[in-house]
Amino acid sequence: MSETTLQLGETADEADWRALVERGLKGAAWSRLVGKTADGIPLEPLYREPDIHTATDISGMPGAAPFVRGSGKSDWLIRQSFAHPDVERTNREILADLEGGVGAIELVIDPEGGSGVAIKSAADLDHALAGVILEAAPVSLDAGASAEQTATLLRDKLKGVAVSGTAFNLDPLGMQLRTGANQNEATLAAYLFSAQTTRDLPNARFLRVDARVIHEAGASEAQEIAYALHSGITYLRGLETRALGIEDSARAISFALAVGPDALIEAAKLRALRLCWARVLEASGAAPEQRAAHIHAFTSRRMMTRFDAWTNILRVTSAAFAAAVGGADDITTYPLTDALGHPTAFARRVTRNTQHVLAEECRLGHVADPAGGAWFVEKLTREIADRAWSLMQQLQAHPAPLELLQTEVAEARDRRRTAIATRRETITGVTDFPLLGAALPEFEPASDTPAGVSPAFAPIRWAEPFEALRAKAEPQSPHVFFANLATLPEFGPRAQWSRNLLASGGIASIGPEDAYPSMDALIDAFRAAKTRVAVIASTDAHYTEHAENAAQRLKAAGADWVLLAGKPGDREGSLRAAGVDQFIFAEQNALTELETLHIALGLSA
């Protein structure tokens, strides 16, 4: 093929394609094909060169400013997290993971042992890291309120030698969001520690901008980046007061982001952060080669589920893929049992091997910026960056930036929760295709969320509301009888939809695929089921002819509560008069309907 025959985005080609698509839509609105991100950014069904001119290579080259395409290296550092309260257990897990190919350590510390390793002294730190060669497996700290104390312990242990990848990760702004407590003294101490130590340990990083706190509270992609930029700018200004130059200040700061399972959106998010941070450092006077953002990506914890926890392997894999494609420098993957408790050795092995498969078998560690040049990813990168930059400017100008951020995050969280409650957004194994009675994977119980967490930015999991209903109902084994009308092809779609809905609330189904030759046979089957709740499932045509009779006979046969699968329309009054107590259909708030059914089943206590 000659060069002249290849034209990107020909108008005629798009017109032909769109005509075929519209024919397939059969009169449905074109908007049906347009999705939206959590920030409301449209996701079009087709992107072309005119949407963003990648032919002129506006993102630059990998390893060059503005670093949209990454730092120039294609591989990443596998840095796994260790948080078991027992020091000796933590040491065994660290050594096992290092032997299994992990390259670095993320040490989560809580001196009281509630939400991390119980390290209180230099001896405890020595025990936790016994046998670890710190020059080969650099340590990164996540120490919360004890960050300054633990950073001092690690600094003393390093004895003046810190390889690249060592990170003290002081984050007083993040602690203020997590706890709501004033961190002025901790902030000054963090700047002082950074200024004093950076000259002795130039390869280490000292301040972490941890955007996970608002991600896990429900924030959107642009909100995460806006907060990261706001905090990063604040830290740059603070380090300036300690007479650090812009290059030293930039090198002292790293970013921690949580990455969800929507691979291309999350990859664009990481690329957008690098674009924005390069602009911040450019405005701060940093040389082009000093403008790269160091990003440590963690798989999202808000996406994890307690039920059907095996599906978490797929979620974590998708998130790790997104982090790798997005050019993360370090990646931490959480085990499939993360929402349940501490992992077993098996769970730790699966999660670390996930990264090995992505790096070596999928060859993601051999390609720099594999999504670069894709019109969708390039355009979304800039759209997220634009939204984030605008919000960052609002935070910088606002007299109470954290209050503004709290409002923005709460709105994003509520929108997402509503989408999940109405099942417009699904969670496999929880809201869709739940498997009642499935055994959980092995895990070790852990403490609940540590005390002192601010309600404004408390971590959530999207599956929690459904899981709470299911955990209350499933041990009591409630059952609902399916009073199906007509044939399986006719009642099957609504019966299957209803079965999934009920199971998401911990309620089992009796006969969701059973057809009955007569109404008498249906009523006999209901009596034999020995349940007092029934759901009528069929087509609207059959409802018109038989639904009222079915409801009346079910009530006469002992049903205390009768549901009908479908919208009642203008016949709601007559159906309710006949005995229908509840209607279930798509786009309702499923949580509300399940709570109503729980009360009918006597499960409200």
Side-chain angles (χ1 to χ4, degrees):
M1 179 182 292
S2 68
E3 293 184 4
T4 57
T5 62
L6 177 62
Q7 298 184 38
L8 301 178
E10 291 185 38
T11 303
D13 287 348
E14 181 180 352
D16 293 343
W17 175 84
R18 183 156 179 154
L20 289 171
V21 172
E22 288 179 339
R23 189 186 310 166
L25 286 171
K26 297 179 180 179
W30 178 263
S31 59
R32 181 177 176 181
L33 301 179
V34 180
K36 284 187 178 181
T37 71
D39 294 293
I41 298 171
L43 302 175
E44 300 290 343
L46 178 68
Y47 288 84
R48 305 173 303 115
E49 177 69 14
D51 293 311
I52 185 162
H53 297 290
T54 54
T56 58
D57 200 25
I58 61 177
S59 294
M61 295 294 291
F67 297 99
V68 176
R69 307 196 64 188
S71 60
K73 59 183 183 65
S74 54
D75 59 341
W76 64 90
L77 191 59
I78 300 175
R79 187 187 292 277
Q80 288 302 83
S81 178
F82 302 89
H84 195 282
D86 182 72
V87 174
E88 301 297 337
R89 164 77 173 269
T90 294
N91 178 250
R92 291 195 299 271
E93 291 182 341
I94 288 174
L95 295 178
D97 268 18
L98 292 177
E99 186 177 354
V102 167
I105 298 163
E106 172 80 1
L107 201 55
V108 182
I109 297 172
D110 178 359
E112 304 306 317
S115 58
V117 190
I119 292 177
K120 299 180 180 179
S121 64
D124 292 335
L125 184 61
D126 288 340
H127 283 308
L129 297 176
V132 177
I133 302 173
L134 298 181
E135 291 82 0
V139 173
S140 168
L141 298 178
D142 183 354
S146 63
E148 183 184 356
Q149 171 193 347
T150 310
T152 301
L153 294 177
L154 179 60
R155 181 190 62 188
D156 295 344
K157 182 176 179 61
L158 291 171
K159 294 180 170 49
V161 179
V163 297
S164 178
T166 303
F168 295 92
N169 295 332
L170 301 169
D171 184 25
L173 291 180
M175 277 305 300
Q176 185 165 338
L177 259 65
R178 284 187 174 92
T179 65
N182 185 285
Q183 298 291 315
N184 288 342
E185 290 186 13
T187 301
L188 293 174
Y191 295 151
L192 181 60
F193 180 90
S194 301
Q196 290 176 338
T197 313
T198 188
R199 295 179 179 86
D200 298 327
L201 303 175
N203 293 320
R205 295 186 184 273
F206 300 94
L207 298 176
R208 171 186 275 177
V209 174
D210 196 343
R212 290 179 298 165
V213 61
I214 69 163
H215 172 94
E216 302 300 355
S220 68
E221 293 82 22
Q223 289 167 358
E224 289 177 62
I225 298 175
Y227 167 72
L229 296 173
H230 171 72
S231 297
I233 291 168
T234 301
Y235 286 157
L236 285 177
R237 289 170 175 162
L239 292 174
E240 184 182 19
T241 65
R242 295 292 169 178
L244 280 186
I246 185 60
E247 286 80 8
D248 287 336
S249 297
R251 191 170 58 248
I253 297 171
S254 67
F255 294 88
L257 292 184
V259 178
D262 200 326
L264 294 182
I265 292 176
E266 297 290 349
K269 179 176 77 175
L270 268 60
R271 299 170 95 251
L273 173 59
R274 287 198 297 272
L275 175 62
C276 291
W277 187 241
R279 179 67 186 92
V280 167
L281 293 181
E282 179 186 8
S284 302
E289 64 273 13
Q290 300 292 333
R291 298 173 190 166
H294 185 278
I295 298 176
H296 183 176
F298 296 76
T299 56
S300 170
R301 306 182 93 163
R302 74 187 189 189
M303 71 177 178
M304 304 294 269
T305 65
R306 295 177 60 86
F307 291 106
D308 201 4
W310 298 104
T311 311
N312 289 329
I313 296 175
L314 302 179
R315 297 184 178 100
V316 169
T317 301
S318 296
F321 175 87
V325 170
D329 300 283
D330 299 2
I331 299 178
T332 297
T333 43
Y334 286 113
L336 69 138
T337 56
D338 185 67
L340 293 165
H342 295 299
T344 62
F346 170 77
R348 294 200 68 90
R349 179 173 177 245
V350 170
T351 193
R352 69 173 179 258
N353 283 351
T354 297
Q355 295 202 51
H356 290 314
V357 170
L358 291 173
E360 302 303 332
E361 296 188 28
C362 298
R363 309 287 286 179
L364 293 183
H366 299 261
V367 182
D369 191 29
W375 297 314
F376 167 62
V377 175
E378 296 287 4
K379 191 167 192 295
L380 185 58
T381 294
R382 280 150 185 80
E383 288 173 331
I384 293 175
D386 288 343
R387 296 286 180 98
W389 191 267
S390 176
L391 180 55
M392 177 273 290
Q393 291 177 316
Q394 294 177 49
L395 293 174
Q396 289 283 299
H398 200 278
L402 297 187
E403 292 181 10
L404 173 60
L405 185 65
Q406 177 182 338
T407 300
E408 294 285 334
V409 171
E411 291 176 356
R413 179 175 61 241
D414 291 345
R415 286 195 300 270
R416 187 81 174 269
R417 277 180 164 163
T418 298
I420 293 170
T422 55
R423 299 171 80 200
R424 295 196 305 273
E425 181 175 338
T426 60
I427 303 173
T428 301
V430 178
T431 66
D432 273 40
F433 312 110
L435 183 59
L436 296 180
L440 297 175
E442 292 184 12
F443 66 96
E444 180 181 325
S447 62
D448 294 332
T449 303
V453 175
S454 168
F457 295 100
I460 64 168
R461 284 185 304 104
W462 297 123
E464 281 178 314
F466 282 92
E467 289 176 343
L469 287 173
R470 183 168 165 183
K472 180 174 63 175
E474 196 167 357
Q476 302 180 54
S477 301
H479 287 72
V480 169
F481 175 80
F482 269 70
N484 300 317
L485 306 179
T487 63
L488 179 59
E490 291 170 300
F491 67 71
R494 276 179 170 159
Q496 184 59 41
W497 182 90
S498 302
R499 178 186 188 178
N500 274 327
L501 172 66
L502 300 179
S504 70
I507 302 166
S509 300
I510 300 174
E513 296 181 358
D514 293 348
Y516 302 99
S518 66
M519 187 65 70
D520 289 339
L522 185 154
I523 298 302
D524 288 343
F526 169 71
R527 290 194 177 101
K530 296 182 179 179
T531 180
R532 304 186 70 83
V533 177
V535 53
I536 301 171
S538 192
T539 63
D540 288 342
H542 281 84
Y543 287 161
T544 300
E545 189 172 352
H546 301 292
E548 293 178 25
N549 180 42
Q552 290 169 349
R553 295 197 60 178
L554 286 167
K555 281 295 179 77
D560 292 331
W561 196 263
V562 174
L563 303 93
L564 185 139
K567 295 182 178 180
D570 56 8
R571 299 182 61 244
E572 181 174 355
S574 60
L575 287 167
R576 287 193 181 276
V580 176
D581 300 287
Q582 185 178 359
F583 300 90
I584 52 175
F585 47 87
E587 299 182 3
Q588 283 179 307
N589 187 310
L591 289 172
T592 300
E593 299 306 317
L594 288 170
E595 287 166 356
T596 299
L597 185 54
H598 272 215
I599 294 171
L601 287 163
L603 303 172
S604 57

